Structure formats: C-alpha cells, structure tokens
Amino acid sequence: MWLINTKTFKLVDIIGRLPDYGILSPCWRRGEVSYHDYGDAWRRQHGLEGRTKVRDACKQAYNDGLEFLWVDTCCIDKTSSAELGEAINSMYTWYRKAAKCYVYLDDVVSSGSPSSSDCAEVGSDASVHSLLAQSRWFTRGWTLQELLAPKNVCFYDVNWASVGEKSSLVDVLHRITGIDKSVLEGGSLRQVSVGRHMSWAAARETTRIEDIAYCLLGIFDVNMPLLYGEGRRAFIRLQKEISKTTENQTLLAWQCTHNSRLERPVRGLLATSPADFACFAGPMTLHAPMLFGQPLLSVNEETRRVLVAAVSRGLRITAAVEDLWPTPMDSILLGLNCSVDGRLTKAVGIYLQRHDGDRYVRVRPDELGICPAHSPRRTIYGLQTEDEI
C-alpha cells in the first residue's frame, strides 16, 4: 500500500502491518497529482493544482500526529489494471482502518474563513446543514463509502477551516444523505436492507458509468473484477454478486421511474442503476423483515416452482405456486419477503408476465403490487445466479 510521508511528502510502499495513517476524501478536479507525476509535481516551482491539496492535507495530518496519509489520486498506479482492481476492491477496508478521514470540501467557505472567487461564502448565521448541503462532495458516488467506512471523519472547508466531525453531525448528515442515523453512528451495515443501501446512492453520480457499481463493492462486502467498458452491465454484475451473499429480497423491490417504464416497459428482475431504489429513501420506506445476510424460511421442496425471468441477466428465483396471484392485466404478482410497514401487513410483490415455458419478464416495473391480505406469507425462497444453476 502506497502512503505519503506527511513530513517529507515522499511516497512510501508499506508492506505488511500498516502504521496509523490518515486518508483524504476530496472531489476530483482538474490538475490532480497522479502516481506517475507525483515526484515531478513536488520538484516544480508551482506544481499542479492538486499539489496544494495534497500538501495541505499532509500538514493537517502531521499536526494531528499522523506520519502517513493515503490519497487516491496519487497512491494508486492506475496504469496497472491489477493494482487498480486490488485497490478498488480493498478501498472500503482502507477507509475503515484509517485513523482519521479528512473530507476536503473545496466548494465550501465557512464563516470566518477567507472568501474565494469561485466559492460562495456562507454567513456566520447560516446553519451547518446549509453549509454542507451545498457541496458537490455529497453528490458523488465514491464519497459514499468515504463517509460510511471510517469511524473518525472530519470536514474541512476550502481553506482547511474545520466544519465539524461525523460523530457530532449525525442529524445534519442524515438530512443531507438519507443514511440511517444508526449507521452514521457506527452501527452495522448488515442491519439495513439491501434496498436501503442502494437508496443512499440513488442520487449520486460517477464520471465513469461502471463506477456507480464499483463504488458500492465495499458497502455490500463483495468483490468482483473491474471491466471498464462494460457500461451498465457492471451494476447488473454487482447485484448478482450481492445475491450470492444474501437472500434479502429488497434487491428485487426496485421501482423505475415512469419515464423509464415508457421507454422500456419490459424489464428483467434486476435494476439498471441505484436510481431505481429511490423508493427506499422516502417516508414510506420499504422494510425487509429478514435482515441483510440472514436466510429465508425453509419450505417443503414439493411446493416449489422455478421461475426464470427472460431478461434477468442470469438470476433465478424459486417460488411456491401459492405465492403467485393472477392480476387483471394478464400478469402474475410474485410476493416478496418485504413490506411497506415492516410487519408484513402490506407485503409487496413484483409483476411478472410469462415469456415462454417457465421464463418470465418483469412488467409494470414502476410499480410494486400489494399482496392479498389472506395470502400465505412464504413468498420467494431463493436467489441464484446462472453460475450456480
């Protein structure tokens, strides 16, 4: 793992046990210092734009008693696909193990901090919420794990004036991001449903299409190879990997927007982006009675029936015949083990339509049906990828 010595500014390759280190979480801008031009940047009289950011972060870490700092722009050799893949799959762990995470908000000026021509100054009477909510940092995909993973997260404005710490800003961060307070306070991610996890990234963006999937790997504790160029298939692959580690059925309880439905009225079982899980972020959030990673109820093998969605990208679901209900629109409602109130009094389902044989596609993808009140609550019992069939 490459780390920057906060006193000498030199890159050091640490092998074996890691020392205490800080970690920088900024938004990327033009002129970032890369791994290959790092040494040259420090030899220049004026350097790259990113040099100042790295230098100031090192000074802050040094003042906090940390000898080393990790910065994603220059501590990863991105020309090596092997190193890049290892780094992205390990990044959540690196953030979690950091002694301190420095969130640098270069588009925020706190009260008392010198104003900047390209940053809007916030008056002293403004709340911390309005101060932070304006920042681009909260709209980026990669910064989600950078907020969740470290225990000690400190926010700084463009001039490195302290704005506050995660531990004391739980209410503010909850309002800005929608992340559960229990998680922001250090609670286990596994106590929150898959759909809820996805909703935290619903409004976030990444420069590369694939990164909206790759930035969520650590949050779901899964690993997968990086295939830049695969486009939206990366998010499909992510969901298939998640299905191997949990049977939490909120993975299937997504709802596309109405416009997306009109553009593509027939869908597979899997969502095309985290935006499809925005329904989990509102006041009527869906809850899964089975927690993340816990098994579903067992059933009699004789009552099972296999359904395979024709455009499900290889995901197989196993359901009991009793859990399928006909609808007036020539489709069936497949009950899921999740509800709108957490007590299964309003269990939800997805609409499927027979394609051929035992193959089904999802129709009305912008809706979740409410299962009949008198129906059994066994719902579906298994998720499998095509590799396991």
Side-chain angles (χ1 to χ4, degrees):
M1 182 180 182
W2 290 99
L3 293 172
I4 303 172
N5 185 298
T6 57
K7 183 177 181 180
T8 65
F9 303 140
K10 292 183 178 180
L11 273 175
V12 182
D13 188 12
I14 305 294
I15 300 176
R17 185 175 180 179
L18 293 174
D20 288 342
Y21 61 92
I23 203 161
L24 178 64
S25 174
C27 281
W28 282 27
R29 302 288 185 180
R30 290 183 179 180
E32 296 290 354
V33 180
S34 71
Y35 171 83
H36 287 286
D37 62 24
Y38 182 83
D40 186 46
W42 294 106
R43 287 191 292 271
R44 297 178 185 179
Q45 184 68 26
H46 298 291
L48 300 173
E49 294 178 21
R51 170 184 166 177
T52 301
K53 177 166 53 184
V54 175
R55 180 199 63 197
D56 292 345
C58 284
K59 289 182 178 179
Q60 184 65 53
Y62 182 79
N63 290 337
D64 291 338
L66 295 174
E67 185 179 359
F68 296 99
L69 180 75
W70 187 86
V71 183
D72 61 354
T73 56
C74 52
C75 291
I76 304 173
D77 181 2
K78 298 178 180 66
T79 63
S80 169
S81 58
E83 182 170 332
L84 178 61
E86 179 183 0
I88 290 181
N89 277 283
S90 304
M91 201 172 294
Y92 189 89
T93 299
W94 292 351
Y95 273 93
R96 188 179 69 239
K97 291 183 176 180
K100 195 170 186 178
C101 177
Y102 299 92
V103 175
Y104 178 60
L105 308 175
D106 63 1
D107 53 359
V108 167
V109 180
S110 61
S111 58
S113 182
S115 61
S116 175
S117 59
D118 58 349
C119 296
E121 186 172 7
V122 178
S124 58
D125 58 342
S127 66
V128 178
H129 176 273
S130 62
L131 182 68
L132 295 179
Q134 66 177 307
S135 178
R136 176 172 171 262
W137 190 85
F138 289 99
T139 70
R140 308 306 297 167
W142 287 105
T143 58
L144 177 59
Q145 67 173 357
E146 296 161 19
L147 174 62
L148 292 173
K151 180 178 180 181
N152 191 0
V153 181
C154 300
F155 295 87
Y156 296 86
D157 76 352
V158 66
N159 297 301
W160 285 94
S162 177
V163 178
E165 300 183 4
K166 180 170 76 169
S167 59
S168 61
L169 297 173
V170 170
D171 289 339
V172 171
L173 296 173
H174 168 69
R175 292 199 301 272
I176 295 173
T177 66
I179 299 172
D180 301 58
K181 292 182 182 180
S182 61
V183 174
L184 291 170
E185 291 170 346
S188 173
L189 286 172
R190 300 180 72 87
Q191 300 301 310
V192 183
S193 71
V194 172
R196 186 70 172 168
H197 283 72
M198 290 291 190
S199 73
W200 300 335
R204 292 176 180 257
E205 300 176 346
T206 56
T207 303
R208 300 287 296 270
I209 295 176
E210 299 86 354
D211 281 341
I212 199 62
Y214 301 158
C215 72
L216 299 176
L217 291 175
I219 293 174
F220 288 103
D221 195 20
V222 298
N223 291 276
M224 69 184 200
L226 310 186
L227 301 173
Y228 282 104
E230 66 175 325
R232 297 188 183 278
R233 287 191 294 272
F235 191 66
I236 298 296
R237 282 202 300 132
L238 171 66
Q239 293 169 90
K240 290 169 65 175
E241 290 300 318
I242 293 172
S243 73
K244 295 178 182 179
T245 64
T246 179
E247 296 202 36
N248 187 284
Q249 293 169 17
T250 57
L251 179 64
L252 304 180
W254 50 268
Q255 293 175 268
C256 69
T257 64
H258 182 68
N259 288 338
S260 297
R261 177 196 170 186
L262 295 178
E263 294 171 3
R264 190 178 178 189
V266 175
R267 298 276 292 270
L269 290 177
L270 301 177
T272 57
S273 81
D276 288 340
F277 290 89
C279 58
F280 285 81
M284 290 300 290
T285 301
L286 294 171
H287 299 277
M290 297 298 170
L291 299 179
F292 184 88
Q294 291 187 344
L296 299 178
L297 300 174
S298 61
V299 296
N300 187 326
E301 289 290 335
E302 295 181 356
T303 67
R304 290 188 170 188
R305 176 181 180 182
V306 174
L307 302 175
V308 183
V311 286
S312 66
R313 274 72 166 194
L315 189 73
R316 182 171 87 171
I317 59 176
T318 305
V321 176
E322 305 95 288
D323 295 322
L324 306 176
W325 297 281
T327 70
M329 300 183 67
D330 192 30
S331 59
I332 59 173
L333 180 62
L334 173 64
L336 301 177
N337 196 18
C338 52
S339 70
V340 296
D341 58 10
R343 296 189 300 272
L344 282 183
T345 57
K346 291 184 179 179
V348 299
I350 55 177
Y351 295 101
L352 301 179
Q353 192 171 72
R354 185 186 297 273
H355 182 70
D356 63 78
D358 278 339
R359 296 171 64 84
Y360 289 76
V361 293
R362 183 169 175 186
V363 293
R364 300 161 67 182
D366 61 333
E367 300 178 49
L368 289 174
I370 301 298
C371 299
H374 62 276
S375 63
R377 289 292 182 257
R378 287 192 293 269
T379 67
I380 70 173
Y381 306 116
L383 303 177
Q384 290 180 289
T385 64
E386 59 188 1
D387 295 334
E388 298 173 311
I389 297 176

